[in-house]
Amino acid sequence: MSKVGVRQVVDPVHLGEGPHWEENNQSLLFVDIMSCELHRYFPASGRHQILHINDCGTGKSVGFVVPLEGDPNLLVVGLGRSLAVVEWSPNDVDDKTVDPKVVLQTVDEGNPTNRFNDGKCDPCGRLWAGTMGYETVPGQPDLHKGSLFSLDSKLSISQCLQKISISNGLAWTHDRKTFYYIDSLEYSVDAFDYNETTGEIGNRRKVLDYKSSGLAKDIPDGMCIDVDGNLWVANFYGKKVICIDPRAGKIIQTIEMPAQNMTSVCWGGPNYDILYATSSRTGVSPDDPNAKYGGATFAITGLGTKGQKPSHFRVDLQLLRTKYNK
């Protein structure tokens, strides 16, 4: 294995999250949650676009971003408690403000201070996204207020899990039989049986328990999977990204990071062999000698493995256009 390298590639934001590689643009999308911004970084040129999104009345935050299959300039985002679509092109100016084109669904009506956090698409193109309760302190939300939802191509939404505290990392095995999930305050990475046809999940079990694995001070956050079936998890408060062999239930590699609060990871680059990692400056003491790295985005190289092209949201575009042309 070549030597592992960690390099800062994007200047700090407030709360970076939700990295997603765009193959068509060779660019990295990510969000700055509490600033309600999308960011697009082009590694080849260093160009950095920012999209400010006006809220739709259910909270000024953006938890994730995923492109739509068939129209890469349309992006689905978790906007407050709503799932919405925005339009944003690499040909746009580098700093722009937009309203959402359409709101697809709004959830958690009984918990108005909830917000969407992480979101990804399964191998069939369903969107999976979860909510969390209101945070007064990072990592300390109102407990068990959130849920995990899935949205299908007809824009029908299903509640898949309830009583979630911080809905976070999501990944699916390459044989499409297992779904991995993180509710951060369970302090574990969990696995479910996954039915590719119906999108149903069940038979929940622990893959790795953080507290019994020597990670009592860390909070598991965003996650992705590599071609070998191993999981890469960002550790909030832990100053690290770890690699887990989910079949053995053990940590097989630890990457020490400059930033204390690592938030999420995704594979990217022309060969999908660069692990991009976002972070947060929220909750970082100004006395921390590494405080300047909080909120930065990093590229990790030399890991000896790689990922695959991420799934996009597979939606009936005619139905979608009908909805936003009303």
Side-chain angles (χ1 to χ4, degrees):
M1 183 184 293
S2 57
K3 183 179 179 181
V4 174
V6 177
R7 179 170 62 95
Q8 179 181 331
V9 293
V10 183
D11 288 340
V13 296
H14 184 74
L15 177 48
E17 254 282 13
H20 182 102
W21 184 255
E22 293 184 297
E23 185 172 282
N24 56 315
N25 301 322
Q26 288 295 293
S27 58
L28 180 73
L29 288 172
F30 64 96
V31 304
D32 185 356
I33 293 180
M34 304 315 294
S35 299
C36 212
E37 295 174 350
L38 303 186
H39 292 251
R40 180 185 275 130
Y41 165 67
F42 298 83
S45 65
R47 183 186 175 201
H48 183 183
Q49 285 182 293
I50 303 174
L51 185 73
H52 311 271
I53 307 175
N54 294 323
D55 74 74
C56 58
T58 64
K60 190 171 177 58
S61 65
V62 58
F64 68 88
V65 55
V66 176
L68 270 63
E69 189 172 294
D71 192 338
N73 293 334
L74 294 178
L75 308 168
V76 61
V77 295
L79 190 61
R81 290 185 294 107
S82 298
L83 299 172
V85 173
V86 297
E87 187 168 16
W88 191 32
S89 166
N91 296 323
D92 289 337
V93 295
D94 285 355
D95 196 292
K96 183 179 179 179
T97 300
V98 299
D99 292 322
K101 288 183 73 69
V102 63
V103 173
L104 305 177
Q105 294 282 355
T106 296
V107 302
D108 293 357
E109 300 283 2
N111 292 296
T113 58
N114 278 15
R115 67 168 177 84
F116 271 105
N117 200 42
D118 211 349
K120 280 185 184 177
C121 287
D122 70 15
C124 294
R126 299 181 192 89
L127 177 68
W128 293 68
T131 55
M132 59 178 286
Y134 178 73
E135 277 182 309
T136 52
V137 177
Q140 297 180 31
D142 295 336
L143 298 178
H144 309 131
K145 297 290 187 180
S147 296
L148 177 65
F149 299 92
S150 69
L151 186 71
D152 67 18
S153 63
K154 299 298 183 182
L155 305 179
S156 175
I157 196 164
S158 301
Q159 186 182 46
C160 304
L161 295 172
Q162 301 179 53
K163 297 184 178 179
I164 302 298
S165 294
I166 304 179
S167 188
N168 247 317
L170 310 101
W172 291 263
T173 53
H174 304 306
D175 65 7
R176 304 185 177 194
K177 293 182 179 180
T178 305
F179 166 58
Y180 297 115
Y181 178 64
I182 293 172
D183 176 357
S184 291
L185 296 191
E186 293 296 317
Y187 296 94
S188 65
V189 178
D190 293 351
F192 295 78
D193 294 341
Y194 164 70
N195 186 310
E196 175 186 8
T197 304
T198 65
E200 294 176 341
I201 56 174
N203 186 29
R204 186 173 189 169
R205 64 266 188 198
K206 285 189 187 301
V207 168
L208 185 84
D209 179 81
Y210 262 47
K211 293 185 178 180
S212 63
S213 300
L215 299 174
K217 295 182 179 180
D218 295 20
I219 298 178
D221 208 308
M223 169 174 64
C224 65
I225 193 167
D226 65 27
V227 292
D228 301 310
N230 295 321
L231 302 172
W232 295 80
V233 184
N235 284 19
F236 200 89
Y237 288 143
K239 208 174 179 232
K240 66 177 76 74
V241 171
I242 62 172
C243 180
I244 299 167
D245 179 344
R247 295 141 301 215
K250 65 179 183 180
I251 299 167
I252 58 175
Q253 192 170 359
T254 298
I255 311 299
E256 298 295 336
M257 300 296 294
Q260 174 182 304
N261 295 339
M262 302 306 302
T263 55
S264 195
V265 286
C266 81
W267 293 101
N271 300 312
Y272 287 98
D273 58 354
I274 300 170
L275 189 68
Y276 286 100
T278 52
S279 70
S280 170
R281 67 169 177 244
T282 304
V284 177
S285 168
D287 297 328
D288 185 334
N290 291 318
K292 64 181 180 180
Y293 295 112
T297 299
F298 304 90
I300 308 172
T301 54
L303 293 171
T305 187
K306 62 182 182 177
Q308 294 179 327
K309 181 180 178 180
S311 297
H312 290 177
F313 182 36
R314 195 172 300 165
V315 65
D316 182 331
L317 288 174
Q318 184 175 352
L319 173 63
L320 180 66
R321 291 184 179 119
T322 300
K323 192 172 178 69
Y324 65 65
N325 287 328
K326 285 182 177 179

